[in-house]
Amino acid sequence: MSRGEASGLFRVGDRVQLTGPKGRMHTITLESGKVFHSHKGTIAHDDLIGLPDGSVVANAVGIEYLALRPLLADFVMSMPRGAAIVYPKDAAQILAQADVFPGATVVEAGVGSGALSLWLLRAIGPEGRLMSFERREEFADVARGNVATFHGSDPANWSITLGDLADTLPERAEAASVDRVVLDMLAPWECIDAVSTALKPGGVVLCYVATATQLSRVAEAIRATGWYTDPVANETMVRGWHVQGLAVRPDHRMIAHTGFLITARRLAPDTELPELKRRPAKTEFSDEDVEAWTPGALGERNVSDKVLRKRARAADAAARRSRADDADPGSDRDADPADAD
């Protein structure tokens, strides 16, 4: 059983989350003889060892702290980061939309700080296999450390391969041997061919991208192969609520856009996707598509060269009049009408 799944009494090596009276959290790893220090006092680790999960312990000056083993969501939000993490709200949707199941063989790229790796390892269980790919060695090192910290050891069913997924995946996975692929990278469309070879028929590819332009490009890349169901895209936003007595209202802050998720399923070889009975949509660029992104389509009128020349002459004439007025201080062109009898 990994450290992240431990239960029962606190013991040496457990990670414990201490929550103070103002809600501030501190996460420590229990060691016999060590002391936790804060600006509000100290707590001896030995005072926590042997207590049940969910206990309250007072520090040296009497301030009470709630002691709990951190949830996985707590851990990933506080662990060291080499790259930006996948937030728990998105990780939950990735597991659901990609239908990651116990025993699955999953490919992940890139690994970042290891946050998504932890969620995937939990979902596939000890019988599953997670193959992570990362271009940057320093990110891979951070991910290895975080995963080992949470589990208490290096999971035997997890590997990290350094290099570009498009080049290294064919060496690591046989054709049609992977159940799920999760791509969290800048240009996932560059890896679609390699992913398509590795995925089993019916397997799911899911891409996590940050911008609408990335979303559009990867969707068109998936469609262009002809090997997938029509991609489905969405984003997840979470708004908390303040609930205390009759004071029930939305929180003033929320976790809004962090990224888009787009999923598609691999078709069987030599299968052509049936045409959906719906209003046809353009997947190729045309003059109309280009016009849709021009100022004219947004309600702005394009000015012809003839009109521009006419306006330039009018502006020049107004400028000459203005210069003439400045040269003739006696001119009453701009005199105040109220001064005239």
Side-chain angles (χ1 to χ4, degrees):
M1 182 167 59
S2 73
R3 290 294 186 194
E5 299 167 344
S7 59
L9 304 180
F10 293 136
R11 57 185 183 272
V12 172
D14 281 352
R15 291 179 66 82
V16 176
Q17 182 176 274
L18 300 172
T19 305
K22 292 187 177 180
R24 186 175 180 181
M25 297 180 182
H26 306 271
T27 303
I28 63 174
T29 301
L30 294 180
E31 298 181 56
S32 182
K34 288 293 186 72
V35 177
F36 163 70
H37 294 266
S38 77
H39 68 288
K40 292 186 177 295
T42 62
I43 298 176
H45 287 209
D46 290 334
D47 292 342
L48 291 165
I49 295 171
L51 291 179
D53 206 346
S55 296
V56 173
V57 61
N59 68 4
V61 295
I63 297 176
E64 294 185 330
Y65 286 78
L66 174 63
L68 286 163
R69 285 187 176 86
L71 302 176
L72 179 50
D74 299 324
F75 178 81
V76 298
M77 294 301 293
S78 62
M79 69 186 190
R81 301 184 187 182
I85 66 167
V86 173
Y87 274 71
K89 73 178 182 70
D90 292 322
Q93 288 297 314
I94 288 170
L95 298 182
Q97 293 182 32
D99 190 39
V100 181
F101 58 89
T105 297
V106 179
V107 166
E108 171 202 20
V111 70
S113 298
L116 183 57
S117 303
L118 285 166
W119 290 105
L120 291 170
L121 285 166
R122 172 172 285 183
I124 64 176
E127 302 303 320
R129 181 185 180 197
L130 176 61
M131 294 183 286
S132 299
F133 294 79
E134 176 56 57
R135 290 179 175 179
R136 299 183 60 174
E137 186 172 3
E138 58 270 33
F139 287 174
D141 290 340
V142 172
R144 287 191 188 98
N146 286 331
V147 171
T149 298
F150 187 77
H151 283 265
S153 62
D154 296 317
N157 60 340
W158 180 51
S159 64
I160 298 181
T161 301
L162 291 176
D164 194 306
L165 177 73
D167 299 327
T168 55
L169 181 58
E171 302 171 1
R172 298 284 295 150
E174 296 180 359
S177 65
V178 174
D179 297 298
R180 306 290 185 259
V181 175
V182 180
L183 302 179
D184 176 14
M185 55 175 61
L186 185 63
W189 50 87
E190 297 177 351
C191 302
I192 294 300
D193 285 348
V195 166
S196 302
T197 300
L199 265 178
K200 296 177 180 179
V204 178
V205 59
L206 182 148
C207 301
Y208 178 75
V209 294
T211 68
T213 50
Q214 289 173 297
L215 180 67
S216 175
R217 187 163 180 180
V218 71
E220 294 309 318
I222 290 172
R223 289 191 179 102
T225 65
W227 299 332
Y228 291 90
T229 59
D230 199 44
V232 177
N234 57 71
E235 65 178 335
T236 302
M237 291 177 278
V238 175
R239 183 175 70 172
W241 277 71
H242 171 88
V243 181
Q244 187 170 359
L246 297 179
V248 180
R249 57 169 174 74
D251 285 340
H252 298 304
R253 301 179 64 184
M254 68 179 292
I255 304 175
H257 175 79
T258 47
F260 298 102
L261 301 182
I262 179 168
T263 59
R265 299 191 67 181
R266 183 71 163 93
L267 299 174
D270 302 321
T271 298
E272 185 174 344
L273 189 67
E275 184 177 354
L276 298 178
K277 294 182 179 180
R278 63 184 183 188
R279 182 179 300 174
K282 299 183 182 70
T283 57
E284 300 294 336
F285 296 110
S286 65
D287 292 341
E288 290 79 12
D289 296 321
V290 174
E291 175 61 24
W293 291 91
T294 61
L298 302 176
E300 299 180 23
R301 298 180 59 186
N302 292 322
V303 181
S304 68
D305 292 341
K306 181 178 179 180
V307 172
L308 280 176
R309 289 194 294 270
K310 181 178 179 180
R311 292 178 181 176
R313 290 194 297 270
D316 182 62
R320 283 189 277 106
R321 287 195 299 270
S322 180
R323 296 189 192 102
D325 289 345
D326 288 342
D328 182 9
S331 173
D332 61 354
R333 182 187 303 274
D334 295 321
D336 190 339
D339 295 336
D341 291 331

